[in-house]
Amino acid sequence: MGGVDKGALTVGGRPLWRMVVERLAPQGRTLAVLAPAAPSWLAQANGAVLIADTGAARGPAAGLLAALQLLEKEQGPGALLLTAPVDAPFLPLDLFEKLDALRSQAAAPAAVVRHAAGLHPVFGLWQAGCSREVEAALGEERALHRIAARAGAVECSAWEGESPDPFANLNSPEDVAAAEAFLRRL
């Protein structure tokens, strides 16, 4: 997308960040934005706080690690972190509920999404105590799906068949056009 702030892109006349915040906010107590610097829309994002992602060169796992470490320090190893990217305007309203049910049933420290034959580990629920496993894995690789597996994450496929794809990321102008087209049909 040419390095633009995806959160500020509009879809259906609304910025992506607002669409994602409206879907995530009811699922948690505090909203945090992981970014190297504060995005222009942060002050409007429902009291969201910035967690500086100083490891951006190491990919999404570095941001996950920063958030897990802060959460563990502030709330202890059992605290939960729900993650989702800012460019996924259709993420499920029951993301936390279904991930936590599977994670609890499996007695796992984390749960990530499997949908449409693919793993989407940026959508996940993580116990803060996973930080040590994530840090150790990050020392050897950057692929979040392998890091999730090493941290003991279970895969949740509870949303198969939903349309539009609730885990679609808007990574190109064509993706934005498809999201616009879907919203016009509603």
Side-chain angles (χ1 to χ4, degrees), residues 16-176:
L16 280 176
W17 73 263
R18 186 174 304 277
M19 296 172 80
V20 171
V21 165
E22 287 173 358
R23 298 183 79 79
L24 277 179
Q27 299 185 61
R29 288 192 308 246
T30 303
L31 184 67
V33 174
L34 288 111
S40 61
W41 46 265
L42 182 66
Q44 302 170 59
N46 211 24
V49 297
L50 175 70
I51 298 176
D53 179 2
T54 58
R58 295 189 300 171
L64 172 64
L65 178 60
L68 288 172
Q69 288 174 330
L70 179 63
L71 184 62
E72 185 172 21
K73 178 181 174 188
E74 291 183 355
Q75 297 182 25
L80 295 173
L81 173 71
L82 180 64
T83 60
V86 74
D87 62 351
F90 305 118
L91 67 93
L93 294 170
D94 59 357
L95 183 64
F96 177 88
E97 177 186 336
K98 289 184 177 177
L99 289 175
D100 193 40
L102 179 63
R103 185 195 63 76
S104 296
Q105 178 185 10
V112 295
V113 168
R114 175 167 290 283
H115 182 74
L119 193 61
H120 302 277
V122 293
F123 296 92
L125 184 63
W126 308 79
Q127 280 186 320
C130 288
S131 65
R132 287 169 289 291
E133 289 82 4
V134 170
E135 185 172 31
L138 188 56
E140 298 171 19
E141 63 179 286
R142 292 178 38 188
L144 190 54
H145 68 282
R146 287 193 294 271
I147 290 171
R150 286 184 54 180
V154 292
E155 298 176 7
C156 183
S157 58
W159 301 273
E160 287 302 322
E162 288 193 18
S163 180
D165 180 349
F167 306 104
N169 296 82
L170 305 186
N171 291 320
S172 69
E174 294 80 17
D175 294 341
V176 173

